[in-house]
Structure formats: structure tokens, C-alpha cells
Amino acid sequence: MTISLVFLAVLMLVFGGWLFSHSINVRPWEAQSEATPAEGITNRASHLPLYFTAARVGLVVFLAVVTAVFALTISAYLMRMEMGPDWRPLPTPGLLWLNTASLVLGSVALQRAWAAAKKGNDQVLRRCLMLGGGLTIAFILGQGVVWWQLHDAGYYLAGNPANAFFFLMTALHALHLLGGLVAWGRTLRKVQRGASAVEVRASVELCALYWHFLLLVWAILFALVLST
């Protein structure tokens, strides 16, 4: 349980600190010009800084729930590992390193797409948005290849607890990425249909933040697999 609380605290401090730093640096007259009329009315009524829109707050709440899920999974992994001699660690496929690089580059691409949306650069936005999603799809497909390689080598899901937890954690992470790709696909469709950078800026921002979060989660999971 201690591991769960530490994991939850670290992730939420990172994202909470990021949101706080951005709200501190926002000048009221600039925030007012960037906010839509609906956002401005809503935030004034609730006496919240204009940066804290419903979509951003909703994302933070959702990430808190996801963090709790992964924290509990990691705690179960560590407790089960110490329970008996039937725990036999899996080998670490080299492809996991390449998959990790794909996810890192995908997160970087979406960060650049967000920056392009802020600057109103439609061409860079479209290119980076497509690249970020493509690299993420490559990561998920690469994870599928890793699962196939392990299964082909005799490391079956029901073979021992270590196998089961590896497949569970990596599949859970991939499912969250697939959910993110749904939002990414909707944003890309809007861009392909001619939506300007200003119109999709909020959506691109949420996608980028979600990808950064899942990259951090994957870094923790990958380090856990390597160390145990």
C-alpha cells in the first residue's frame, strides 16, 4: 500500500505542479483573450483561474483515477513477487527498448503539435499530430510483437505469476493508449477537415498531456520489469 501511495503522490505532484506553474504564469488579460466566452463565464462564476477549464480539470480527475489503478497493480505485483518461490521473472525482450523509444518520440511529437497549435502553425500541427499518433500505434503494435515473442518462447500467461502480471500491466497500459488514440483520431479528423490550429488547440493540449502521463507510467513499469 505504501508503494501505491508513493506512486500516486509522485504522479499527481508532477501534473498538479505543472498545472499550478502554468496558472501562476498566465497574465489575466492574456488568459481572457484566449478563453472562449463560455469558458470565461463559467470560470468567473466559479471564481477559478481562467486556465482551469472544465476539460483540464476533468483530465486531472481522470488521471488521478488511472494513477490509482496502476498504483494498486504495482503494489499487487510487488506483494505477489515476495509471496513464494513460484515467481520466475521473464527475460526482457530487446524490442521493449525500441518500443519505449517510439513512445518517447510520440510524446515529443505531440508536444510539438501543441506548440504549433499555440502559434497557429497549421502545417506543423498536422504533421506532428500525425507523427505522434503513428509512433504510438507503432508502440502498441510493438508490444503485441513482444507478447507474441514471449508466448512463442513458452512464457504463457498462466505459466507463472510473473508472466501474468507482465501481460496484465503492459496490456492495461496499451488499453489506455488506445483510448487516447480515440481522442487523437477525432482531433486529427477535425484538422484534416480544415479546422484551424486555434479551434483544436484545447484538444491537442489534452492529448499531449495524456501522452506525457502515459509515458511516465510506462517508464515506471519498464523500470519495474527491468529491476525485478
Side-chain angles (χ1 to χ4, degrees):
M1 185 57 67
T2 301
I3 296 295
S4 299
L5 293 175
V6 171
F7 183 82
L8 178 63
V10 169
L11 286 185
M12 294 315 298
L13 279 175
V14 169
F15 276 82
W18 186 92
L19 285 172
F20 179 77
S21 66
H22 276 66
S23 65
I24 285 295
N25 294 328
V26 170
R27 297 178 177 85
W29 55 89
E30 291 180 352
Q32 179 66 38
S33 63
E34 291 177 0
T36 63
E39 289 175 340
I41 293 172
T42 301
N43 289 329
R44 281 197 299 272
S46 59
H47 303 288
L48 291 174
L50 288 174
Y51 186 80
F52 289 92
T53 62
R56 291 175 182 133
V57 173
L59 177 63
V60 171
V61 172
F62 176 73
L63 293 184
V65 175
V66 175
T67 300
V69 171
F70 279 105
L72 291 173
T73 304
I74 290 174
S75 292
Y77 175 94
L78 294 175
M79 287 188 293
R80 183 61 183 85
M81 183 176 61
E82 298 176 355
M83 284 180 61
D86 58 339
W87 185 277
R88 296 186 299 277
L90 287 78
T92 304
L95 184 57
L96 283 179
W97 291 99
L98 183 59
N99 293 347
T100 301
S102 296
L103 190 58
V104 170
L105 293 175
S107 185
V108 171
L110 286 172
Q111 179 64 34
R112 292 194 61 186
W114 183 13
K118 290 179 179 179
K119 297 177 180 177
N121 193 329
D122 294 335
Q123 292 184 350
V124 175
L125 168 62
R126 183 181 297 105
R127 183 166 60 249
C128 289
L129 198 59
M130 293 179 65
L131 181 61
L135 287 167
T136 303
I137 293 172
F139 171 84
I140 296 174
L141 293 177
Q143 294 293 78
V145 173
V146 168
W147 299 332
W148 177 82
Q149 288 178 341
L150 289 173
H151 186 273
D152 193 56
Y155 295 94
Y156 304 116
L157 177 65
N160 79 82
N163 298 0
F165 269 101
F166 176 83
F167 286 112
L168 170 64
M169 292 189 300
T170 53
L172 189 62
H173 181 261
L175 284 174
H176 281 85
L177 277 175
L178 286 172
L181 284 173
V182 173
W184 166 84
R186 291 176 178 173
T187 304
L188 180 61
R189 185 167 62 250
K190 291 179 182 178
V191 172
Q192 297 287 19
R193 291 179 176 177
S196 66
V198 175
E199 293 174 318
V200 298
R201 174 178 170 178
S203 298
V204 175
E205 173 189 346
L206 297 181
C207 285
L209 289 175
Y210 188 64
W211 256 251
H212 299 340
F213 173 83
L214 288 180
L215 174 60
L216 178 59
V217 170
W218 173 248
I220 295 172
L221 294 179
F222 192 26
L224 185 65
V225 171
L226 289 175
S227 62
T228 56

